[in-house]
Amino acid sequence: MDLKKLMAALQASASNAPLLSTSTYVPPTSDAPDEDRDAARRMIAAFVHWLARGGHTSDAGSPARKAILDSILARPDQPEKVIEELGDNVYSTDVAQDQRDFATGYLAPFGEGNLGDDYFKLFVEATGGRTMRDARPTPAEYNRFSDMIDARERGFAQGAPDWKKPLAVPNAPRPTSGQAVRSKWLARLPATPIS
């Protein structure tokens, strides 16, 4: 096979991959996939809210998608519905060109100082919740979260080495026992041992 054709195919495939997808946050063995999907939609809505509020939605993409993205501000009580209308995905073409590098770095699915980590710390840990299902941000909380993303974006734009510094949530309630959470987590792991 021609190496140039293979590289072009891989790049085309990667450019069509979503930056954010609910499927990343819904475990295949979920005991309540609809609840987990709605929880993931609420988290993704926090980023879409930031995009729309800051005028960071792309004019170069689909006008229909842009209208849905921007509608999140007019439908503050329907974050799950907005993300569902987007096909449960946010693509790089949904993000204004000047914000794509930041979005790619901030939306990495694992690690500290990214969307999932910030959202979990502020809307689950800080409130004493146990899972993403417990997080139900209000419109005012989405606004405050957008302010926090703005601060991260400014740090990224200025080249600050600590722009992804993990959030510290002072006085966040700590579970008295992790055994129930640990047992539930272990039950979700595949039954086949990894060799």
Side-chain angles (χ1 to χ4, degrees), residues 99-180:
Q99 295 297 328
R100 287 185 188 163
D101 288 342
F102 167 71
T104 300
Y106 185 57
L107 300 178
F110 305 106
E112 294 184 314
N114 62 22
L115 174 69
D117 184 54
D118 288 347
Y119 185 88
F120 190 85
K121 285 179 178 170
L122 292 174
F123 297 119
V124 179
E125 280 184 10
T127 62
R130 290 205 175 259
T131 72
M132 295 279 278
R133 294 179 201 168
D134 298 325
R136 297 188 180 273
T138 66
E141 289 170 327
Y142 276 132
N143 277 324
R144 285 193 297 276
F145 195 76
S146 287
D147 292 341
M148 192 267 321
I149 296 175
D150 281 337
R152 287 214 184 270
E153 190 278 329
R154 280 191 302 276
F156 175 85
Q158 294 167 357
D162 64 345
W163 77 271
K164 279 187 92 171
K165 181 181 178 182
L167 293 177
V169 182
N171 304 321
R174 299 285 180 228
T176 55
S177 168
Q179 190 60 38

Side-chain angles (χ1 to χ4, degrees), residues 6-129:
L6 176 61
M7 290 302 294
L10 288 173
Q11 287 174 339
S13 171
S15 69
N16 292 331
L19 285 174
L20 267 175
S21 178
T22 58
S23 62
T24 304
Y25 299 96
V26 179
T29 57
S30 172
D31 59 347
D34 291 340
E35 289 179 39
D36 285 337
R37 194 169 299 105
D38 278 346
R41 286 173 176 154
R42 288 189 294 274
M43 182 192 68
I44 291 171
F47 183 75
V48 171
H49 184 275
W50 174 79
L51 281 177
R53 190 183 87 158
H56 304 305
T57 55
S58 176
D59 292 326
S62 157
R65 283 188 68 81
K66 180 174 175 36
I68 295 168
L69 288 158
D70 290 339
S71 77
I72 200 159
L73 299 176
R75 301 187 299 167
D77 297 327
Q78 299 177 333
E80 298 96 337
K81 184 71 175 158
V82 172
I83 303 309
E84 182 180 17
E85 289 172 12
L86 292 168
D88 285 336
N89 295 308
V90 174
Y91 296 94
S92 63
T93 53
D94 294 328
V95 180
Q97 183 69 41
D98 65 337
Q99 295 297 328
R100 287 185 188 163
D101 288 342
F102 167 71
T104 300
Y106 185 57
L107 300 178
F110 305 106
E112 294 184 314
N114 62 22
L115 174 69
D117 184 54
D118 288 347
Y119 185 88
F120 190 85
K121 285 179 178 170
L122 292 174
F123 297 119
V124 179
E125 280 184 10
T127 62

Side-chain angles (χ1 to χ4, degrees), residues 130-131 175-187:
R130 290 205 175 259
T131 72
T176 55
S177 168
Q179 190 60 38
V181 173
R182 182 177 180 273
S183 298
K184 196 170 191 177
W185 179 77
L186 287 172

